[in-house]
Amino acid sequence: MNVPNTTQQEEKEYPWYKTIEGDSLWQGDFLHDFEVLIPEVFTQSDQVPAQYRKLDVVIMTQTCDIVQGNVESLLLCPCWNLWEFINAAEKKGVNWGRGQREALRRGNLPGYYLSNEADQDGLKMDLTIIDFHEVYTAPTNLVKDFALRAGKRLRLLPPYREHLAQAFARFFMRVGLPVDISPEKLRSRPT
């Protein structure tokens, strides 16, 4: 008798994504090749040079604000194929060895979120790293128009969507202390 793999069973019970179409937008929606406007240099001139860059992004604005029409623009974070991101970082001398990758998987790297791979309804996505270090905005109507033309796309489902939102909030609510408690003070009890 074949017993199903527990991990496979759990993934079926708690799917990461739903396939959607149309202009409905929620937090956790992935948009492939979305053009973001990036200012190049601030000058004394009335015109600021800028460029458009196509990025894969995920919507970070709260769903309730989007649905209620409370926001004129949406927060977007770039996301990258995990292995391409790691290769690019290592070329710059940044260590993304097994320890770093495990810290990412556990959620212990505050500026990043690891999203699972997907292969459903003709859509494929590899393990994806969402980068909170760069946050873009785009007018809600522009994003809706893009979503409508995009066809099928992935939407992160609960509890993963809330987990992403929590990771985003943790990154921005961090407080750096000017003077920390010395580790030596905790090494041994006072006599």
Side-chain angles (χ1 to χ4, degrees):
M1 178 169 131
N2 286 339
V3 177
N5 181 323
T6 305
T7 304
Q8 290 175 348
Q9 184 65 31
E10 289 171 356
E11 286 179 9
K12 288 179 184 176
E13 291 175 16
Y14 291 99
W16 277 69
Y17 306 101
K18 173 182 178 179
T19 303
I20 58 165
E21 289 186 74
D23 68 352
S24 167
L25 299 175
W26 285 22
Q27 182 181 56
D29 283 6
F30 288 83
L31 303 171
H32 179 67
D33 282 342
F34 184 80
E35 285 189 334
V36 296
L37 182 65
I38 303 172
E40 291 179 2
V41 177
F42 290 101
T43 65
Q44 303 258 327
S45 157
D46 289 342
Q47 295 182 356
V48 176
Q51 64 174 333
Y52 282 97
R53 215 166 94 196
K54 284 187 179 184
L55 296 173
D56 292 344
V57 296
V58 63
I59 296 175
M60 295 306 304
T61 302
Q62 291 286 339
T63 301
C64 58
D65 290 332
I66 300 169
V67 171
Q68 293 174 10
N70 293 339
V71 290
E72 291 185 26
S73 57
L74 302 179
L75 290 176
L76 309 168
C77 281
C79 45
W80 316 95
N81 170 293
L82 173 65
W83 299 108
E84 290 173 9
F85 179 88
I86 288 173
N87 288 340
E90 288 179 341
K91 285 180 183 175
K92 295 178 183 175
V94 178
N95 176 19
W96 274 89
R98 188 177 301 162
Q100 276 295 94
R101 295 191 306 267
E102 179 61 16
L104 172 66
R105 187 189 70 77
R106 290 178 179 249
N108 294 334
L109 297 179
Y112 303 103
Y113 183 82
L114 182 62
S115 189
N116 204 2
E117 59 196 1
D119 186 357
Q120 64 190 52
D121 302 320
L123 297 173
K124 282 188 170 226
M125 185 169 77
D126 293 323
L127 288 172
T128 299
I129 188 167
I130 299 169
D131 186 353
F132 301 146
H133 295 96
E134 293 189 35
V135 179
Y136 302 99
T137 61
T140 303
N141 290 338
L142 181 80
V143 180
K144 280 187 176 218
D145 182 54
F146 179 87
L148 186 61
R149 290 182 284 114
K152 291 181 186 178
R153 54 197 170 87
L154 295 173
R155 172 174 287 166
L156 202 56
L157 292 173
Y160 308 105
R161 179 174 51 237
E162 291 76 10
H163 194 243
L164 168 65
Q166 183 182 45
F168 185 67
R170 262 194 328 268
F171 177 65
F172 282 98
M173 68 180 219
R174 293 172 302 138
V175 176
L177 300 176
V179 178
D180 204 354
I181 298 169
S182 168
E184 287 79 30
K185 290 183 179 181
L186 300 175
R187 291 209 172 114
S188 60
R189 294 176 186 251
T191 55

